Amino acid sequence: MKKSKLTTDQGVPITDNQNSLTIGNRGPVLLQDVQFIEKMAHFDRERIPERVVHAKGTGAHGYFQVYKSMALYTKAKFLQDPAKKTPIFIRFSTVTGGRGSADTVRDPRGFAVKFYTEDGNYDLVGNNLPVFFIRDAIKFPDMVHAFKGAPDSNMPSSASSHDSFWDFISLTPESTHMITWLFSDRGTPRSYRMQEGFGVNTYVWVNLRGKAIYVKYHWKPKLGVRTLDRHEATRLAGTDPDFLTRDLHDAIAKGGKVEYELKVQLMNIADELKQDFDPLDPTKTWPENKFPLMPVGKMILDRNPDNFFTEVEQAAFCPASLVPGIEFSADKLLQGRTFSYADTQRHRLGANYLQLTVNKPLAPVDNNQRDGAMQTRHFSGPVNYEPNTLSGGMPAEAAEEGKPHTYKLEGEVVKQKIKLTNDFAQAGERYRTLGKNDQEHMVDNLVADLTPISRQIQKRVIENLTTADAQLGRLVAKGLKL
Ligand code: HEM
């Protein structure tokens, strides 16, 4: 082991790290003990705000590789060359619990991938379930308030079985489809290595000719999908609250390669109004028989972080981090997400959070943004504006091919729900596509969660479940003795 000397943060040698500086050996302590003050003041600031959602998580490094060029559909450079490996960082998480909560509670799981591409960073910030609870971002703060601990008691710290969760859900019919995923055993995955991932929102791919097409993302685990049942998940939450974190860490530490395949569904934009659902509605899936899954490439996770704080806690993913060739759709949930993430990260990590190692693009960064708290870059010269001649017009705007595609939009300025909501059909279909055992588990999971909930809320939940599927509603009502 290399010899090293203990110093203060100023690099001054420390000769005694056991005793504070006192008058006599019984105290009091002197204010001039700058070594003590620096050490304690630093310790006092070791925690940063936890993520407002997805606070408990774990990460891994790896790479992504396409099977063949996607040039027909997108000009995104990292999706062109099968010989190229694009480095990635992934963070898996639960959603509702705080930083120290258990891994195996019923909850969606975050599945966030950062691709360090030659055109800058691309983040695909998804979940392990294909749909979401709501379709308009303006409801997100209400939803999260209802899901997390109540403002008076702070309970529960991570679980859905409480009145406010079910109160909100029962008043939000579009959440019924998500409930049929969350309350199947998919809500308690056996391993981060054995769960699917979904982009959930609809994005737009654009090729070099400017042709745009809607795209939805799916990650398929090489090991297949495996889940825990309610009893096992509950037991593990007590005996090993870090069960999923440990599973991923140990698999990679043993030299295992964790693999997922990326697939996409594509839809011609001209066909968007021809469906029995709105393709920009994130509470809906696209039927796979009509929009088949097309394999795109593979992602391999092969390296654990060696510093949790700098790599995992400081990681900042954002659905607005897109690269040329990938664009936003008008999906109202996605539009709201594009603001929220970087906004929390400026608060959680600070103005220059994109300079932190895990967030810093491998692609060169050059612009006239300067200064700010914790600036680490050293700029020289008199020019920090554009256009300029004093530094030869540099940095100059990039080539035309990076430009987003142009399109027309017209309509009235309104605050209105989408017309085609069709909130129960896919929820019912989801229940009916499950095998008998999985259906029984869903009913059992729902009954267990709803048992302590007030009668009035239970009734509203049953109404929604019944509209989705009469049998599902009847069996849950029976389980609740309603
Ligand atoms: C309007 C809807 C939504 C809003 C406003 C929202 C907002 C947020 C915010 C503020 C964070 C914390 C970011 C940070 O501090 O670094 C976050 C984390 C996250 N969100 Fe969302 N979210 C929404 C919907 C979704 C959906 C639909 C998905 C999945 C498709 C999703 C997946 C994630 C993931 C995976 C993380 C954790 C990222 C990480 O590992 O650091 N969110 N979200």
Side-chain angles (χ1 to χ4, degrees):
M1 189 90 42
K2 204 175 130 233
K3 280 199 168 163
S4 63
K5 187 177 67 185
L6 198 63
T7 73
T8 66
D9 277 349
Q10 302 276 17
V12 177
I14 290 176
T15 52
D16 184 342
N17 194 34
Q18 319 307 320
N19 304 292
S20 33
L21 185 68
T22 49
I23 301 176
N25 60 15
R26 298 180 55 237
V29 178
L30 290 175
L31 188 59
Q32 72 190 50
D33 190 351
V34 289
Q35 178 204 337
F36 166 83
I37 290 175
E38 181 200 85
K39 184 176 179 181
M40 197 56 75
H42 192 277
F43 171 77
D44 294 347
R45 289 163 179 77
E46 276 176 10
R47 295 290 175 272
I48 57 172
E50 67 177 31
R51 289 167 178 80
V52 67
V53 281
H54 296 260
K56 170 85 187 277
T58 185
H61 297 272
Y63 62 88
F64 176 79
Q65 215 172 355
V66 279
Y67 297 138
K68 60 173 192 170
S69 171
M70 289 287 121
L72 193 57
Y73 309 108
T74 173
K75 61 188 174 187
K77 288 194 184 138
F78 76 108
L79 296 176
Q80 307 301 321
D81 179 2
K84 185 184 291 171
K85 290 181 176 177
T86 300
I88 63 101
F89 183 72
I90 191 164
R91 184 171 176 272
F92 296 112
S93 48
T94 54
V95 177
T96 320
R99 197 143 46 189
S101 57
D103 281 351
T104 59
V105 292
R106 182 170 310 286
D107 209 4
R109 300 297 185 285
F111 195 117
V113 186
K114 186 180 291 296
F115 300 78
Y116 301 90
T117 89
E118 61 268 58
D119 257 347
N121 286 354
Y122 169 53
D123 293 344
L124 179 47
V125 194
N127 277 345
N128 72 329
L129 305 177
V131 288
F132 203 58
F133 299 96
I134 50 171
R135 62 164 74 89
D136 190 318
I138 201 167
K139 295 311 298 167
F140 191 74
D142 294 300
M143 185 198 100
V144 174
H145 287 172
F147 288 11
K148 285 201 166 228
D152 54 353
S153 65
N154 195 34
M155 291 191 290
S157 42
S158 60
S160 52
S161 183
H162 55 117
D163 272 7
S164 56
F165 175 91
W166 284 107
D167 193 24
F168 182 87
I169 291 294
S170 66
L171 296 168
T172 308
E174 66 269 32
S175 69
T176 313
H177 189 195
M178 178 64 158
I179 292 300
T180 63
W181 285 91
L182 186 60
F183 282 83
S184 71
D185 289 345
R186 290 289 191 109
T188 48
R190 153 72 183 77
S191 162
Y192 286 139
R193 299 176 292 133
M194 303 166 197
Q195 63 171 7
E196 292 181 306
F198 300 91
V200 179
N201 292 115
T202 296
Y203 294 83
V204 174
W205 271 4
V206 181
N207 69 14
L208 267 178
R209 286 182 292 114
K211 164 117 176 62
I213 192 163
Y214 283 148
V215 59
K216 247 184 170 13
Y217 297 98
H218 300 243
W219 291 106
K220 301 285 181 192
K222 183 94 186 278
L223 295 175
V225 173
R226 284 185 60 195
T227 55
L228 298 169
D229 69 23
R230 180 166 70 80
H231 305 284
E232 186 62 358
T234 310
R235 187 186 69 76
L236 285 167
T239 56
D240 187 1
D242 305 310
F243 184 73
L244 299 181
T245 307
R246 189 185 313 289
D247 169 84
L248 181 72
H249 178 275
D250 290 357
I252 296 175
K254 282 183 199 138
K257 286 190 168 34
V258 180
E259 184 171 338
Y260 306 81
E261 178 166 71
L262 180 66
K263 294 185 166 186
V264 290
Q265 288 178 291
L266 298 172
M267 184 190 292
N268 284 320
I269 297 179
D271 294 338
E272 66 177 330
L273 300 180
K274 298 179 189 158
Q275 315 304 323
D276 64 355
F277 61 94
D278 187 327
L280 301 187
D281 175 357
T283 69
K284 303 296 181 293
T285 50
W286 296 359
E288 290 177 17
N289 54 2
K290 246 177 130 179
F291 303 98
L293 291 172
M294 179 176 83
V296 175
K298 63 177 179 182
M299 173 170 66
I300 307 286
L301 311 181
D302 57 5
R303 180 162 63 89
N304 278 321
D306 60 16
N307 184 303
F308 182 82
F309 184 82
T310 53
E311 293 168 89
V312 184
E313 197 60 14
Q314 289 191 323
F317 298 88
C318 175
S321 303
L322 303 183
V323 289
I326 307 178
E327 299 182 15
F328 302 108
S329 75
D331 173 342
K332 287 191 257 182
L333 196 81
L334 175 61
Q335 296 270 322
R337 293 180 77 198
T338 61
F339 164 73
S340 179
Y341 288 67
D343 187 49
T344 101
Q345 287 147 3
R346 289 181 189 110
H347 155 68
R348 185 167 71 80
L349 300 163
N352 285 306
Y353 71 102
L354 292 175
Q355 294 180 17
L356 297 168
T357 323
V358 64
N359 300 325
K360 199 174 152 173
L362 295 178
V365 172
D366 200 354
N367 57 41
N368 297 303
Q369 269 129 239
R370 294 286 188 274
D371 309 341
M374 307 302 284
Q375 177 60 257
T376 59
R377 298 181 70 201
H378 177 98
F379 303 99
S380 51
V383 178
N384 58 355
Y385 59 90
E386 193 275 341
N388 67 66
T389 55
L390 297 185
S391 72
M394 294 296 143
E397 286 169 348
E400 188 76 3
E401 66 187 42
K403 275 201 172 159
H405 85 294
T406 50
Y407 54 102
K408 263 202 189 133
L409 284 178
E410 53 185 80
E412 283 176 3
V413 176
V414 292
K415 271 182 168 269
Q416 259 175 23
K417 205 173 10 189
I418 54 170
K419 278 211 181 80
L420 183 56
T421 53
N422 199 0
D423 282 330
F424 300 103
Q426 291 194 353
E429 273 164 35
R430 157 90 185 137
Y431 174 72
R432 290 187 292 276
T433 54
L434 294 177
K436 198 160 180 297
N437 188 46
D438 286 331
Q439 286 186 336
E440 281 169 12
H441 279 217
M442 190 192 293
V443 170
D444 173 63
N445 293 337
L446 282 164
V447 171
D449 217 78
L450 281 160
T451 296
I453 305 305
S454 78
R455 269 303 196 219
Q456 188 201 355
I457 296 176
Q458 284 179 346
K459 281 182 190 157
R460 284 203 306 264
V461 175
I462 299 292
E463 269 171 37
N464 287 342
L465 294 176
T466 308
T467 315
D469 184 275
Q471 185 193 54
L472 174 63
R474 196 173 57 247
L475 291 175
V476 175
K478 194 173 154 208
L480 294 172
K481 303 193 173 52
L482 263 174

